[in-house]
Amino acid sequence: MQERLNVAVQKKGRLFDGSLELLKAGGISINNGKDQLKASSHNFPLDVLYLRNSDIPQYVVDGVADLGVVGENLLVENDADVEVIEKLGFSKCRLSIALPKEAPYNDISDLKGKKIATSYPVTLQKFLRERNIEAEIHVISGSVEIAPNIGLSDAICDLVSSGSTLFKNGLVEKEVILKSQAVLVKNKHLSKDKEALIEQVAFRIRTTLKARKSKYILLNAPKDKVQEISDLLPVLKAPTVLPLALEGWCSIHSVIEEDKFWEVIDQLKAAGAEGILIVPIEKIVV
């Protein structure tokens, strides 16, 4: 009987959609039903377990789940003994210390003797200890940002993405403790058969992530500018150069990371590039 992988994902919240979209993009179809705690793929030996986000690291450590999609912040907080396979690029946030906007603050020494409310006491305590800051940590779960407004704390330590929640509650971000994003993790003690399946899943995810960061670029250029323009393009290997019907001109095709395109667009135009097209890529296999 063929082995099947158990993959733990958040049952609801910001990690849920990103996890299932990534599996789907990798060609793994999940038979999802409403309020299911477990769902199976019909075209890959894989089952999805829908769990509370905070429980996922321990489920992977215990071997209940072979793989898990979880925020890096939880791995740090739980000191989870798992292996990170891939950073997934979504659900990016940061764990930060914030204070009421009217509170005086010059540097981290102003936290001495303060009461800080948080759902991440282990990470916060380590951060403060490394900086020789003595502060009182008040552990609460949920609605941390309201703590200073009701006199429960002087400051908070919580996850921040856009910062809008802090703004609405009159708080200002002062210290970033760590940056986090969704990561794919695995149990460290798996059979060879499961390791082989995981490598297949990881390969599919990597091709999808590579494509998301890259674009296909097509442009026209004078033949005598081909080398100069090619040198400007960060590519996988080398660009494809095709002759145009117009004498003395070529079409250059390549793959470029989207953020790097904006760094070189002016240089490409100055070198003689015309008719520049940027096209999305579905998959990249390297």
Side-chain angles (χ1 to χ4, degrees):
M1 185 175 178
Q2 186 181 18
E3 293 262 32
R4 293 184 68 86
L5 292 176
N6 285 326
V7 182
V9 304
Q10 188 179 34
K11 63 181 178 181
K12 59 181 179 179
R14 57 201 182 101
L15 289 175
F16 172 82
D17 291 332
S19 301
L20 294 188
E21 285 172 7
L22 202 53
L23 290 174
K24 183 179 179 181
I28 300 174
S29 299
I30 305 298
N31 300 319
N32 246 4
K34 187 178 180 181
D35 298 326
Q36 279 184 299
L37 297 179
K38 181 178 180 180
S40 299
S41 170
H42 65 81
N43 63 350
F44 194 89
L46 179 150
D47 299 317
V48 174
L49 308 178
Y50 298 110
L51 305 172
R52 288 196 313 171
N53 194 39
S54 57
D55 292 337
I56 292 176
Q58 194 58 49
Y59 271 72
V60 176
V61 170
D62 293 341
V64 176
D66 307 305
L67 291 171
V69 178
V70 66
E72 288 178 288
N73 56 291
L74 280 179
L75 297 184
V76 175
E77 180 66 19
N78 292 280
D79 193 24
D81 187 24
V82 297
E83 181 179 339
V84 176
I85 301 175
E86 194 74 27
K87 294 191 175 187
L88 302 178
F90 63 88
S91 291
K92 291 185 177 180
C93 60
R94 54 200 180 272
L95 184 64
S96 298
I97 295 174
L99 282 77
K101 59 184 179 181
E102 68 275 5
Y105 190 86
N106 297 307
D107 55 46
I108 197 169
S109 63
D110 288 332
L111 294 175
K112 289 181 178 178
K114 301 295 186 183
K115 184 183 291 185
I116 307 174
T118 187
S119 300
Y120 299 90
V122 175
T123 308
L124 174 59
Q125 183 62 67
K126 181 181 178 183
F127 176 81
L128 295 174
R129 188 186 306 117
E130 290 173 349
R131 289 153 182 80
N132 297 314
I133 301 296
E134 290 286 343
E136 182 181 344
I137 296 176
H138 190 91
V139 182
I140 59 177
S141 58
S143 302
V144 174
E145 62 277 352
I146 200 174
N149 292 328
I150 60 176
L152 190 62
S153 70
D154 304 299
I156 69 165
C157 173
D158 201 16
L159 292 180
V160 179
S161 47
S162 68
S164 61
T165 302
L166 293 182
F167 178 78
K168 290 175 183 177
N169 287 275
L171 301 172
V172 179
E173 187 176 9
K174 295 297 184 180
E175 300 284 345
V176 176
I177 292 180
L178 64 84
K179 293 183 179 180
S180 175
Q181 64 178 289
V183 292
L184 181 67
V185 299
K186 72 171 185 177
N187 179 276
K188 289 185 174 181
H189 310 287
L190 297 173
S191 67
K192 288 184 178 180
D193 288 342
K194 286 196 172 183
E195 288 285 5
L197 288 174
I198 286 174
E199 186 52 41
Q200 291 182 48
V201 173
F203 172 76
R204 295 185 185 200
I205 287 175
R206 288 175 185 131
T207 61
T208 300
L209 294 178
K210 182 71 175 176
R212 287 180 178 178
K213 296 176 183 177
S214 304
K215 301 294 181 185
Y216 192 75
I217 181 171
L218 305 87
L219 58 86
N220 297 329
K223 281 187 177 179
D224 61 355
K225 295 291 186 178
V226 168
Q227 189 59 54
E228 181 181 350
I229 289 174
S230 297
D231 290 341
L232 292 171
L233 293 172
V235 296
L236 296 176
K237 285 190 177 179
T240 299
V241 181
L242 302 171
L244 290 179
L246 183 62
E247 184 67 29
W249 282 77
C250 292
S251 176
I252 299 177
H253 298 214
S254 186
V255 174
I256 185 171
E257 291 185 18
E258 186 172 22
D259 56 350
K260 290 184 179 178
F261 168 77
W262 296 111
E263 295 176 9
V264 300
I265 179 62
D266 290 333
Q267 298 174 62
L268 290 173
K269 291 166 64 179
E274 296 182 3
I276 302 171
L277 297 179
I278 303 296
V279 182
I281 299 173
E282 186 172 337
K283 302 286 185 298
I284 294 182
V285 180
V286 295

